[in-house]
Amino acid sequence: MVIEVDRKQVAEEVREESVATVSGLPLVGKTTLLREVKGDKELVELPREFSSVEEIRKVREEVAQRRKRGKVVVEGRSYIIALLLGKAKLGEPSLDNLLYGNMLTNYSWDAMKIEGMESLNEESLLKVIEYSYLSTRRHGTFIPPLVKEGISLLKEGKLDEILPAVQRLKQLYANPPRAKGEAGVTEIVGSVFSPGEMRWVWDRLSDNWKELIYYLLDAYLGLLPGRAREIVKEYINAEPRRPSLNLLDLNFPSSLLDKVERNATQLIYGDLVIHGMPGVGKTEFAGHVARYLTTRESSFVLTGPERVEEVRAQGKIPLILVDYHDTSFHSLRELWDRAQLNARKIYVLTHELTRVMQRVMGDGVTYFNYDLLITPERLNNVLKYDWSGLLFNVVFRGDENLARKYQPLVAMAGKYGGPLPPRFAEMVLKVNGVENQDREVVQYFTSARILPTSEGSVKYRDPFDDYLKEFVDKVRREGLARQFMTAYALFSLRGLEEFRGLLRYVDFPSELADYLGSPSRLPRVSGLLLSRAIPQLVDLYPENCELIPDLFEWKDDEDVKELEKIVEDPVGTLEALVGTLVHSTQLPCLRKAFEYATFLVFRGAKGIFNPLKDIMFRRIMETRDDYLVLLYSYMSMIKDSVDHLDELAQISPRARSYTLLADLGKDDKSPLGILMGCLGMAFGLEKFAVGVLKDFSYAKDFMDAVNEFQRRVNLLKSSIKRVDRESLNMISRVFSLHPDSVVQEMELVLDDLKYVMAFILFRDSYGRDLRDTLRDILNLSSGFCNHVFRNRKDAESHKLLGCYQFKLARALLMGNKYEYRNVVEDILEISNRDDEILGTAGYIASLALGKPARKGKVTILRNSILMDVAEALAGNAEKLEEIRETVKLMGEDALLHDPIMSEVVISVRMMNGEDPTPVARKADENVGIFASRVIHQNLNDRTRYLASLILLVH
């Protein structure tokens, strides 16, 4: 087992696990890293060499004893760990011996922050990367000491002499010749250098590279660790003779060289698929990989499909490209034909075509997602890409008649999305009279998610009802009740965090695959099929009340692992839920089933409430139980459904009040009705708040609704004591509230909603008086922000910063000359580089206070721009020149329609010694949000202006 882990993942494992084991190739930095992150754990550093088998046994026993005591981190080379665990055996050669366990991996040289690397030109950088990157089967990593060595050798003018020899030695890691036993050492070394040549190389090779070669030989041949060192010394006991060496082709972009090398190494052992979005450079990358492999491995020859047998006859391995679009489009049929050839293949495909081609690729294929390398320029190609042209030419071979023939599938793709389950696609074609089907075209529709669609007026018959009937009949006839519920559980529960671990090892029912499609992502029509089928199959499941877990009051902060102990069989509990809902005659069991269903719906389970609501309604009408009405109404509120509420409201006065949860159009002035109206409105407004923050055009409607909610909360204060205790206890259980704190909880929700109103004013308010707006912002947010300031550790980062932004706006607008600095100090105190919002604000705060500033990870463009502006204002000449170029390139007028870009223009004016007031006034006319207008009150003081930029962070 090989798992590549980076430095951050190693640190997390050491922190979270009582006993951790970290492996890797020599010199990757394991020991140094673990000494930094081990905390109070004992670090066990395994030996690198052994003098006897007995020594291995003693170390194995000692490590086992230390692991039993816990709080230990074991560090060692992969081969050593594999030997101690019995995963590798002395005397048994295997390339797999090199790799085992959680292997520390240095994915990129820039992540290692090695001094001197950033100053290298492209040619020098390529040579250092080639010197320091190592790839073998299933693994590739930079070796940090080799990066430093490469830079030193480069400066001394010695790298060009040794690099060709290193290239030849690296081939041993990628593809060592077959050998065994101690004699294998000289066979392997002799395959690249004679004894005299090896002596010449060894005299110039660094100790680090020698150590890597010794490790390779020991591990690959299954020798006692350390034995290869002695044998190599004997081999090179010869007169030095300079070998004939030439530097192999390095005509690759430095940013791609390590990826090219790793993929070329994988290609030695099996076909390679380079997949990604169209138009991003996959074909060019495939060419790099092919050239790298054929330059270094003389047994491979890049050729065309027509010369495959000729190359094979020469004793070589033909390498062909299977590319959907090189100089022109190639159809699926052509791609399928090429996939059958007896050659090593580099496939160049979109993600969709990869799914289609997987069935004809065979085993042992390596996949490389090229999207990871996309540049912004290439991304523009994707946005402009003509998908319809790709689909027409590749799927339909550019044939209008073929495209017309498959219009029924196109129509169903437009209706249901893709992929289409195989049996459904077959029925679509059959009922619409399509005969002589093209296998590869149908395969595309049943594998790909992006399908051709049509908005034409031609109507084709949809066989869904027949499809559903056939599916239900199959489940009943073949006794597939368990398999059906397994698929239903995967569809309903897989997206829930609490159930992900439980469902990871649940096998997708192969008996239903033709009807349901891909297990990794069920097609939309399959979800509809499952939802429509379950009401027709519920009688297959017996009552099993005891198996239903009591999870209704499960909290977000409770350990998911504890839940996994309670729900050992998620499929069985779902069967028990359905069976109990249908068959149980015991009210406690029905209540338990309704509670579990409510838990699942609240957590976001798909296909639970809507397919089963008619059954639930029937059971409520039979029992006429108020608590079941309450749970049903709560689920209805979550799913925005009003079905059956009118009938349920007739059961009792209490039931009528409960249904107000999901039917807020009705007004019930009874104490219970007021409470239910508040709870339902709180839930709806919290969802509304998320939407209004994305689209301020609904701000007035939102504010009107919040005012109505405030009115209801005020009514609740005076009426809560008249709600009967039984109802209050039941409601508290459903909403996880304390019966005596319902009003306080509603007031907290109201404060949260008022904060959202304040934030809208802060980010909008075009043309309103600044001081009047500030007063409204502070009044609206006071309750929420006072609570946040008292509980800073528990607050959401964007709301915590929002409260400080309101405070900073007040200090800048109404405070004395230096009051704002106290607020900026507070913002610096709460900053966190691991949180982008707080990190950005803290970075700007540091610059404004003249303190050392360190950037965290930034992924949001607006925050990156704000930091650039702040750096320029703080005196960074390089950043100032960059934003000057931006203004020059795009023009001031174009930038003054955006709050962030307006500050780019204003800061450039300010740093140029020009008056920024005219452009600030123009920006206020164009945009005019409150935060920007406060910023523009501080243009006469550069430090205050810099600090005020924090108001735009979000």
Side-chain angles (χ1 to χ4, degrees), residues 425-489:
E426 184 182 336
M427 293 178 75
V428 168
L429 294 173
K430 184 176 180 180
V431 300
N432 288 285
V434 178
E435 299 177 352
N436 301 320
Q437 297 170 15
D438 301 77
R439 192 160 59 98
E440 76 279 1
V441 176
V442 177
Q443 181 70 41
Y444 186 88
F445 279 88
T446 59
S447 303
R449 294 170 189 166
I450 297 178
L451 300 180
T453 58
S454 173
E455 298 178 0
S457 58
V458 179
K459 300 292 184 183
Y460 294 95
R461 187 179 164 199
D462 181 351
F464 182 83
D465 290 340
D466 296 335
Y467 173 55
L468 172 62
K469 182 180 184 303
E470 182 177 292
F471 178 71
V472 170
D473 289 345
K474 179 182 176 70
V475 172
R476 287 187 178 279
R477 184 178 64 255
E478 299 181 16
L480 301 176
R482 180 69 178 189
Q483 289 86 341
F484 170 79
M485 193 57 74
T486 299
Y488 188 66

Side-chain angles (χ1 to χ4, degrees), residues 330-368:
H330 295 285
S331 72
L332 262 177
R333 179 166 291 179
E334 289 178 273
L335 299 179
W336 277 37
D337 289 344
R338 291 188 182 188
Q340 314 301 321
L341 294 174
N342 185 15
R344 192 61 44 83
K345 305 167 196 79
I346 304 179
Y347 293 92
V348 179
L349 305 168
T350 65
H351 300 303
E352 306 305 311
L353 290 172
T354 301
R355 296 184 187 99
V356 178
M357 294 288 293
Q358 277 176 329
R359 294 190 185 182
V360 293
M361 285 179 186
D363 300 325
V365 178
T366 299
Y367 294 87
F368 179 72

Side-chain angles (χ1 to χ4, degrees), residues 159 202 255 267 422 464 592 604 621 664 746 790:
L159 185 58
W202 222 243
S255 60
L267 193 53
F464 182 83
K592 191 178 181 185
M621 297 305 287
L664 294 176
M746 290 299 97
R790 289 193 301 269

Side-chain angles (χ1 to χ4, degrees), residues 261-294:
E261 180 175 340
R262 177 161 186 176
N263 280 286
T265 300
Q266 305 315 308
L267 193 53
I268 293 171
Y269 299 96
D271 294 342
L272 172 68
V273 178
I274 300 168
H275 60 102
M277 293 186 281
V280 294
K282 300 184 297 298
T283 297
E284 183 181 1
F285 182 76
H288 292 323
V289 173
R291 192 170 78 253
Y292 190 99
L293 177 64
T294 53

Side-chain angles (χ1 to χ4, degrees), residues 265-331:
T265 300
Q266 305 315 308
L267 193 53
I268 293 171
Y269 299 96
D271 294 342
L272 172 68
V273 178
I274 300 168
H275 60 102
M277 293 186 281
V280 294
K282 300 184 297 298
T283 297
E284 183 181 1
F285 182 76
H288 292 323
V289 173
R291 192 170 78 253
Y292 190 99
L293 177 64
T294 53
T295 302
R296 286 154 176 75
E297 296 286 338
S298 59
S299 57
F300 286 87
V301 175
L302 180 63
T303 186
E306 70 285 348
R307 292 190 62 239
V308 165
E309 294 307 319
E310 179 186 336
V311 172
R312 282 215 164 272
Q314 297 168 1
K316 303 287 187 179
I317 302 172
L319 173 65
I320 64 170
L321 293 178
V322 183
D323 190 342
Y324 75 98
H325 189 198
D326 39 39
T327 55
S328 61
F329 281 111
H330 295 285
S331 72

Side-chain angles (χ1 to χ4, degrees), residues 673-686:
I674 292 169
L675 171 58
M676 301 313 292
C678 273
L679 290 169
M681 197 166 191
F683 185 88
L685 281 171
E686 286 176 332

Side-chain angles (χ1 to χ4, degrees), residues 642-706:
V642 294
D643 291 349
H644 303 307
L645 293 183
D646 285 341
E647 299 98 311
L648 293 177
Q650 306 306 313
I651 292 176
S652 71
R654 185 183 286 161
R656 183 163 56 252
S657 297
Y658 291 160
T659 59
L660 292 175
L661 269 175
D663 196 356
L664 294 176
K666 294 188 177 180
D667 191 13
D668 187 336
K669 293 185 171 56
S670 69
L672 182 55
I674 292 169
L675 171 58
M676 301 313 292
C678 273
L679 290 169
M681 197 166 191
F683 185 88
L685 281 171
E686 286 176 332
K687 291 202 291 185
F688 194 177
V690 174
V692 79
L693 288 173
K694 296 176 182 176
D695 185 353
F696 283 0
S697 66
Y698 295 99
K700 185 180 184 307
D701 293 338
F702 176 76
M703 290 181 178
D704 289 344
V706 173

